[in-house]
Amino acid sequence: MAPAQPQALKQMCNPLAALVDHTDTSVQRGIAALRSSLGEDNVQALLQAVSPRADEVTSYSFPLPIDYTDTERRLRIGFPKGFPLSGLRLTVNPSPWLIWPHAMKEGVCLHGFNERPLTGTPEIVVKDNLARLSNIIRLSQKGSCPSARATEFQREITSYWFMQQKPSPHNLILLDRPQTAARLFALSAPQQAQPSASKTIWLAADSSSLEKHFRHTTGNSPKMRALQTPAFYVKLQSCPPLHLPAPGSLLTWLDQHISPADKNQLSAWFKEHSSLLNLWIAMELPGDPPAPIYCLNICNYRSSQNRGLTFNLRTARHKTATPISLPLTKIKRTKLEVLIRSEVLSRDLSGVTESLDKKHVVCVGVGSLGGFVAMQLARSGVGHLTLIDPDYLESANLGRHVLGAKNLGYTKAKALQEKIRQNLPITDVSIFESYAEVMMKRQPEIFDNADLVVVTTADWQSEASLWRLKSKGTSWSLLQAWSEPHAFVGHVLLAPAGAADAQMLFAENGDFKHKFTKWPQEGIIPLPACGENFIPGGAVGIANIAAMVTQAALRALNGDISTSLWLSSVNRTQDVAKLGGEYSGPALPTNIQHAIWERGWP
């Protein structure tokens, strides 16, 4: 952001009256900062006091330079009661809405010259607000550069379109981003607990994408026949005008900004579908991929006719549209989300996710630790997960599990599969509600096809079975992870592809020989059932350990680990004694609450 320019403010002002004093200390300091910015010599002639609004302490007005439309306007400066936290309230009259960049219907938007509003002392806030205002005036005053102004408008053109339109109630999800102009097939999302007018509608240029998504999210294989195409995807070659058109002029508004071939396709589609109650045009703006998309909802109905809008698996089940003689009634804006891998993961710029879509991870155990790891692997872009766990979710699990109360009574594997399918449909998830050693005998191909096996069961029988298999040599890496009681300490043993066996690091009962904490009764809490118990630990401790496990898994999947590793997460060791335990692991450095150690196997 450019520094404040008091001289520019002096030149744009021609005040008429003097400032007055106020009892509010912050406002007094703000007024003093305003006087300083304007220059004390001119203050008596520059600023005019005006009646404050109900939520303002005081306010002022002064004239602005004539703008490029030859219009004289006045700036109103209000000091709100929340000043300086809420900043100055700046309003231009008459309103330059859609005439000046960053002018709203009421007030001006100062964020265009900085992504965040500035907070701080009254002096800093006044200086910053006036500096940003100077930038807006410089773009709009008489003699300013038209191309610079147009460029500023186009930088945020979707915001101006957005504010000119009312929202439609539809929630559109685009399952593929077409490379060229295309008609979009539509399918209403099944089992939506929403009013019919606001149901989610899936869109795709290829009907097979809809079929795959339906199968992925519901587990059922649909039979789709003659789906409707109420939407059209078009790639803009340049930005259409700032002012949105009347409904009957929409195609004319777009004509000069799309290719001739796209124009013909759009016109033909529009003519064929003009009798539908709703049409959508998804406009991809010019720019580098992934370019923004703005979606228009063309309405051909009165509000009462919009209830029950549904796009089913076959056109025959959808009530035949009745031609309407009335002209198009409205154009609204519709929120459209793009649900494809590249956009879901677009905010991870580390490069870690690039090759993960082809990776297969088998998660043996999806309890408090394993469930968290499986979810994070899905969020990281792992293409296929296999979940193996026979246990059911219980209320005592909720405090530290990624699943919630609605999943109680279901197996953890099934409930987590549904959660990932609903929230991250870019990941394929298969499940086996059984034990790892059983699946190794029944379906060994599950492991043969894996890139990585992650075991977090804290069940030595399953862990030992996997290490015995690993000792014979495998194409997959093996990661064993667990937390010590109360989750102050967690460990990872990782072996890359090939032969490895960590059984010698454990006692016959599965007790790790190199643990960092010691607890009465080994820290395990028995339950009133045969063989039932649990290892205590809170959500924060589990999350620390799970983050370490996930990072190690991603490194293994990306080929960054070539030797066997032992990683340990240690957190707040001073609290171990408070719970009756003893800590004997490595000391945390001074002023460090959490650390991870990495080295070879002990």
Side-chain angles (χ1 to χ4, degrees):
M1 183 189 69
Q5 299 182 21
Q7 291 301 321
L9 289 169
K10 295 176 188 177
Q11 294 171 4
M12 75 182 183
C13 302
N14 185 19
L16 302 175
L19 292 169
V20 295
D21 292 329
H22 293 275
T23 57
D24 185 282
T25 303
S26 294
V27 173
Q28 283 183 323
R29 291 172 59 186
I31 293 172
L34 184 61
R35 296 171 70 107
S36 175
S37 295
L38 295 175
E40 197 63 37
D41 292 343
N42 298 320
V43 160
Q44 297 300 324
L46 287 178
L47 217 57
Q48 177 181 355
V50 296
S51 298
R53 295 170 182 168
D55 58 347
E56 293 177 343
V57 177
T58 188
S59 58
Y60 304 95
S61 172
F62 58 80
L64 299 174
I66 296 175
D67 71 8
Y68 72 96
T69 67
D70 288 325
T71 302
E72 295 184 4
R73 306 180 193 272
R74 296 187 67 86
L75 175 68
R76 185 183 184 281
I77 302 177
F79 285 84
K81 293 180 178 179
F83 179 84
L85 185 61
S86 55
L88 294 176
R89 181 171 294 147
L90 305 178
T91 309
V92 178
N93 297 302
S95 173
W97 163 240
L98 299 181
I99 299 171
W100 293 9
H102 307 295
M104 305 294 101
K105 291 181 179 179
E106 294 185 5
V108 291
C109 177
L110 301 179
H111 297 185
F113 299 99
N114 195 323
E115 293 301 320
R116 295 181 181 273
L118 180 70
T119 58
T121 65
E123 294 79 9
I124 290 175
V125 169
V126 168
K127 183 178 180 180
D128 175 73
N129 284 194
L130 294 182
R132 300 190 198 199
L133 176 65
S134 293
N135 289 328
I136 296 175
I137 292 175
R138 207 165 23 249
L139 284 167
S140 307
Q141 64 189 6
K142 191 167 185 176
S144 57
C145 177
S147 61
R149 189 165 53 250
T151 298
E152 195 67 24
F153 270 124
Q154 291 197 3
R155 283 181 61 244
E156 301 176 0
I157 196 165
T158 57
S159 295
Y160 297 106
W161 290 341
F162 183 93
M163 288 183 282
Q164 292 177 65
Q165 294 180 311
K166 292 183 178 180
S168 74
H170 313 106
N171 181 31
L172 303 185
I173 307 279
L174 184 62
L175 303 180
D176 54 20
R177 185 188 273 261
Q179 298 303 306
T180 59
R183 301 180 181 213
L184 300 177
F185 295 97
L187 180 64
S188 293
Q191 302 174 346
Q192 291 279 314
Q194 297 171 315
S196 58
S198 58
K199 281 186 176 179
T200 295
I201 300 170
W202 299 333
L203 300 175
D206 185 348
S207 62
S208 64
S209 296
L210 288 176
E211 182 177 358
K212 179 181 178 181
H213 189 69
F214 186 98
R215 183 171 56 252
H216 188 83
T217 56
T218 67
N220 299 320
S221 296
K223 294 182 179 179
M224 298 181 177
R225 299 175 184 172
L227 295 177
Q228 291 188 350
T229 54
F232 194 90
Y233 191 91
V234 64
K235 297 171 76 72
L236 300 177
Q237 296 182 327
S238 57
C239 283
L242 186 68
H243 293 77
L244 288 169
S249 304
L250 177 59
L251 296 186
T252 303
W253 182 76
L254 283 171
D255 276 353
Q256 297 179 10
H257 305 281
I258 57 179
S259 71
D262 290 357
K263 175 183 174 181
N264 292 336
Q265 287 189 62
L266 176 60
S267 179
W269 166 84
F270 194 80
K271 184 176 180 180
E272 291 174 18
H273 294 78
S274 60
S275 62
L276 291 180
L277 296 181
N278 281 277
L279 297 174
W280 291 277
I281 297 179
M283 305 183 300
E284 181 183 301
L285 274 65
D288 296 331
I293 300 172
Y294 191 86
C295 190
L296 301 173
N297 174 210
I298 306 158
C299 309
N300 203 5
Y301 61 85
R302 295 184 177 90
S303 59
S304 61
Q305 294 176 297
N306 194 32
R307 306 300 296 182
L309 178 68
T310 304
F311 297 94
N312 287 306
L313 297 176
R314 60 188 75 180
T315 304
R317 291 185 178 178
H318 186 78
K319 185 177 179 181
T320 303
T322 302
I324 298 175
S325 59
L326 295 174
L328 299 175
T329 55
K330 294 179 181 178
I331 299 179
K332 298 182 178 181
R333 53 179 160 84
T334 297
K335 183 68 174 177
L336 183 145
E337 298 292 347
V338 183
L339 196 57
I340 61 176
R341 177 184 172 82
S342 60
E343 303 207 21
V344 170
L345 304 174
S346 62
R347 298 195 177 184
D348 185 348
L349 303 180
S350 66
V352 172
T353 65
E354 292 179 1
S355 61
L356 295 179
D357 61 321
K358 305 298 183 183
K359 300 297 184 180
H360 176 201
V361 178
V362 175
C363 295
V364 180
V366 288
S368 300
L369 178 57
F372 190 106
V373 171
M375 180 60 71
Q376 291 308 308
L377 290 175
R379 293 191 186 282
S380 298
V382 171
H384 186 83
L385 292 174
T386 296
L387 313 180
I388 301 176
D389 196 323
D391 288 345
Y392 286 79
L393 187 72
E394 300 175 351
S395 56
N397 301 137
L398 296 182
R400 59 184 194 177
H401 206 286
V402 293
L403 297 172
K406 70 176 183 178
N407 305 120
L408 290 172
Y410 293 87
T411 62
K412 296 172 184 176
K414 180 62 176 176
L416 188 57
Q417 179 191 45
E418 292 302 315
K419 184 179 180 70
I420 295 174
R421 280 178 168 177
Q422 293 294 326
N423 295 346
L424 295 157
I426 62 172
T427 300
D428 290 323
V429 185
S430 56
I431 65 168
F432 296 94
E433 297 161 308
S434 184
Y435 294 94
E437 54 269 32
V438 173
M439 300 313 303
M440 289 164 63
K441 294 179 180 179
R442 288 182 180 175
Q443 293 181 255
E445 66 275 9
I446 295 171
F447 297 90
D448 293 341
N449 296 328
D451 296 289
L452 173 68
V453 176
V454 177
V455 55
T456 57
T457 59
D459 175 73
W460 179 237
Q461 185 173 352
S462 295
E463 295 164 341
S465 296
L466 286 165
W467 283 117
R468 284 194 291 271
L469 181 59
K470 181 67 176 167
S471 68
K472 299 175 183 179
T474 65
S475 61
W476 39 268
S477 303
L478 177 58
L479 186 158
Q480 179 186 353
W482 70 98
S483 70
E484 294 190 18
H486 299 284
F488 293 111
V489 175
H491 299 282
V492 165
L493 292 175
L494 177 60
D501 190 354
Q503 292 183 83
M504 74 288 191
L505 301 177
F506 297 85
E508 291 184 0
N509 64 352
D511 195 19
F512 188 48
K513 296 179 181 179
H514 305 277
K515 57 189 177 183
F516 292 175
T517 58
K518 182 178 180 181
W519 302 91
Q521 290 78 49
E522 302 300 326
I524 298 175
I525 309 300
L527 293 172
C530 182
E532 295 293 324
N533 57 64
F534 70 93
I535 299 175
V540 174
I542 294 294
N544 285 334
I545 299 167
M548 173 185 67
V549 177
T550 304
Q551 291 171 3
L554 293 175
R555 289 169 60 194
L557 290 170
N558 282 311
D560 295 338
I561 296 178
S562 57
T563 59
S564 297
L565 290 180
W566 172 29
L567 293 89
S568 300
S569 169
V570 178
N571 182 56
R572 294 189 61 81
T573 55
Q574 68 270 27
D575 291 343
V576 173
K578 296 178 183 178
L579 292 175
E582 298 178 15
Y583 179 76
S584 58
L588 287 173
T590 304
N591 298 324
I592 298 298
Q593 296 294 315
H594 177 236
I596 295 175
W597 275 267
E598 178 179 320
R599 61 282 203 215
W601 284 3

